[in-house]
Structures are given as structure tokens and as C-alpha cells.
Amino acid sequence: MKATAVAHPNVALAKYWGKRDVPGNVPATPSVSVSLGGLETRTTVAFDEALGGDELELNGSIASGEPLARVSKLLDEVRALAGHRRFARVVTRNDFPTASGLASSASGFAALARAATAAAAVHLDDRALSRVARRASASAARSVFGGFVALGTEDDAAAEPLEVDFPIAIVVAAVTLAAKDTSSTAGMAHCRATSPYYGAWVDDAPKVAAEVRAAIVARDLPRLGRAAEASALRMHACMLASDPALLYWAPATIDLLHRVRALRAEGVSAWATIDAGPHVKVVCAPADAARVVDRLAPAAVRTIVAHVGGAARVLPEEAS
Ligand code: 2P0
């Protein structure tokens, strides 16, 4: 009744932003991501009949309220599939900053879904597991798989791996280690309710996602970078047009965008993407990663070079 799983966060190269169906947590836009190897969440789930409720320890602190409620909701699904009502103790740890736009909910809920089903001896195929993770947090559906991964907008959406061997580097330039003010879930709802550009964003996103996907299949880095940067900046344009404006950027975010442009002007194929936070992630060739780090580091509090990572996996018992 106990298992440990590891999952990597992912960065969307074509962004999911907005929900087509809120109760079912179905995205309004298709997304395409890459798994961030080198960053990981490790989660242990232990079902225990002595517990009077689910318990959550997140990065060494006991968590309650909304984070625990979201965990319990996923565990309820697993309990229903397993046919038992035991509560669980969940211990989860990220080796990167939590809730700061570094996609901790993606790796967190993917690792939780993987560990909870293993602990309860519920056997789901990867697509079924991806649906469980998507209902908890849509980006988590993608972190069930490794490599480049697509997630659609259909009612029962599950992510699917593209299975393309395309070695790229992703340089993460963190600009703060603090948690963000507005969660993605709240930010999306606010955009949908108040941004006059929301409809245009949702209409345009499938074209950009198709371009991102085609560029990955063609293993064409400049084509991928152009489309990924467009997806991120269009998403932020939609956010900025909300009322009140949703501004996730810090001064350093803009500084970093200019540094990436300067690198391109010097002939380096480096392209920026930004999620619901101030950090900038730069897609480049592995051979250019050190030069990109050198250029970004003065404007960042921390840089991390990620490579294309693998799928969420259960650890052997002795490693957990
Ligand atoms: C993405 N983001 O595609 C986009 C880009 C942030 C910006 O997925 O409400 O934490 O839990 O489904 O998955 C972050 O949103 O939102 C996200 P919920 P989630 O990666």
C-alpha cells in the first residue's frame, strides 16, 4: 500500500491557457510540451487504514487547505478504482522552486497519480493515468509521458507522446524563488472572464500548436523556437489585456527576453518561452546551452540546464 514515483515538470512549447470545461478540467487550447529532464518531483503515497484523513507533506512542511483538497480529489478517484476507502499519507518534494511558474503542479500531480495507483495496485495504461492527472491539473497529463508530448481539447483528453528523438536543451532562468500571486487556475478563469483577446487566443492557438508539432517532427529548431515564442507571447498578450491586467512578468523577465533576442542577432538559435510566472525558459541546441547560460545568468537568480526528460515512473521499493 506504499509506492514512490518520480516525474519531471514540462514546459509547454504550445501553451494551454483556458478551460473549455471547468468541472472536467478540459483545456480550451491544444498544447505541446517537452519534459524537463534534470528537474524532478519525488512523491511517496502510503495508504494506511489507521489515518482519519489524507495527509500531505510538501517540501518538508505540512500542507492543508487547497493543496490538500486537490490531492484528496485525485486520491478519491484512485480509491474508487481500487474499491477501498483508506486515507493516505503523501510526502512530496521538488528539487526546484514550487508554485513559481516552474510547473510544479505538472510534475506533482503526475508523480502523485503514478505513486497512488501503484500503492493501491490499480493498473491503468498511460493514457488512462494521463486522464487522472489531467483532471487534477491539465499540464500534469503531459508529465505522465517523457519527451515531446501533445494534449488536446476533447472531452476525455489524454496526453500522447510524439515519440520524436530531438535532443534540445532548455535553459531555465529563474528570476525569483518566491511563489507567484495568481495561480494558473485563477489566472485562466480571470482571462476568460475579462480579456477581450481571450477569444482570439483560443481561435489562434490550434494553428500555433500545429506549427510547433510540425517543427518537432521535422526536428527544425528555428521553426520550433519561432512558434514556441509566438505561443508564449500571445498567451501573455491575452493575460495583459485582462481587467485588472494579469502581469506575471518582473523587470528581469523583459531583460531576459532582450538577452535572448541579442543572442539571436549574434546567430545563436535561442528562443524564449514564459509560463504563468516571471521565469524565462530558453530553447536552444545542447551545444549552445553554456553560451545561453552565460548571457542569461546576470539577470537571473538561478539558471538550470534541462535536457529532454523521461516519463513519470515508479521507483523500485529499495530506492523509495
Ligand atoms: C502550460 N500553464 O501549457 C500552461 C502555460 C501555465 C502557462 O498549464 O488549472 O497548473 O491545474 O489545469 O496545469 C499551468 O496550468 O492549470 C499551465 P490547472 P495548470 O503549461
Side-chain angles (χ1 to χ4, degrees):
M1 297 306 277
K2 179 178 174 191
T4 297
V6 163
H8 302 291
N10 67 76
V11 63
L13 301 166
K15 303 296 187 191
Y16 144 57
W17 190 254
K19 297 182 198 289
R20 192 170 66 67
D21 167 28
V22 173
N25 207 32
V26 178
T29 63
S31 55
V32 182
S33 63
V34 60
S35 171
L36 295 179
L39 283 69
E40 72 174 39
T41 298
R42 178 177 293 231
T43 301
T44 300
V45 175
F47 289 100
D48 181 346
E49 55 193 18
L51 293 174
D54 293 321
E55 295 177 1
L56 173 63
E57 183 188 312
L58 177 58
N59 291 322
S61 302
I62 301 301
S64 56
E66 180 65 19
L68 176 61
R70 288 181 78 173
V71 165
S72 285
K73 188 163 165 268
L74 189 153
L75 293 173
D76 284 344
E77 262 197 68
V78 175
R79 282 187 277 259
L81 290 165
H84 72 68
R85 300 169 68 85
R86 286 185 202 108
F87 291 113
R89 184 174 300 106
V90 177
V91 177
T92 186
R93 184 170 286 281
N94 300 325
D95 67 359
F96 56 92
T98 302
S100 57
L102 285 182
S104 56
S105 75
S107 51
F109 285 107
L112 178 67
R114 197 49 112 198
T117 49
V122 168
H123 300 289
L124 297 179
D125 64 28
D126 285 350
R127 294 203 26 110
L129 191 73
S130 177
R131 287 188 191 97
V132 171
R134 194 256 304 144
R135 285 188 279 272
S137 188
S139 56
R142 302 185 310 237
S143 273
V144 166
F145 298 98
F148 295 89
V149 182
L151 176 65
T153 60
E154 64 278 14
D155 278 346
D156 208 17
E160 53 159 344
L162 299 189
E163 282 165 8
V164 175
D165 182 19
F166 181 24
I168 60 170
I170 307 94
V171 178
V172 178
V175 309
T176 167
L177 300 183
K180 63 191 177 193
D181 303 332
T182 308
S183 73
S184 293
T185 308
M188 286 180 210
H190 179 64
C191 249
R192 179 178 169 177
T194 70
S195 177
Y197 298 170
Y198 182 77
W201 155 252
V202 170
D203 287 348
D204 176 71
K207 285 173 254 169
V208 182
E211 176 64 7
V212 163
R213 199 174 170 135
I216 291 166
V217 171
R219 295 189 241 183
D220 183 334
L221 179 61
R223 185 177 174 193
L224 172 60
R226 255 194 314 279
E229 210 174 279
S231 176
L233 294 178
R234 288 173 197 179
M235 177 183 76
H236 281 274
C238 178
M239 294 165 167
L240 288 167
S242 299
D243 184 14
L246 199 49
L247 174 62
Y248 281 111
W249 296 3
T253 311
I254 297 169
D255 186 347
L256 287 162
L257 283 178
H258 283 286
R259 286 168 186 265
V260 173
R261 286 175 167 234
L263 279 166
R264 279 209 298 278
E266 294 164 20
V268 179
S269 193
W271 306 84
T273 183
I274 309 169
D275 290 302
H279 316 296
V280 176
K281 295 136 193 173
V282 176
V283 176
C284 63
D288 289 330
R291 184 163 171 193
V292 171
V293 166
D294 281 351
R295 186 61 60 88
L296 301 188
V301 295
R302 184 172 165 195
T303 57
I304 306 164
V305 180
H307 54 270
V308 180
R313 65 188 194 282
V314 175
L315 295 183
E317 231 169 89
E318 60 273 16
S320 63

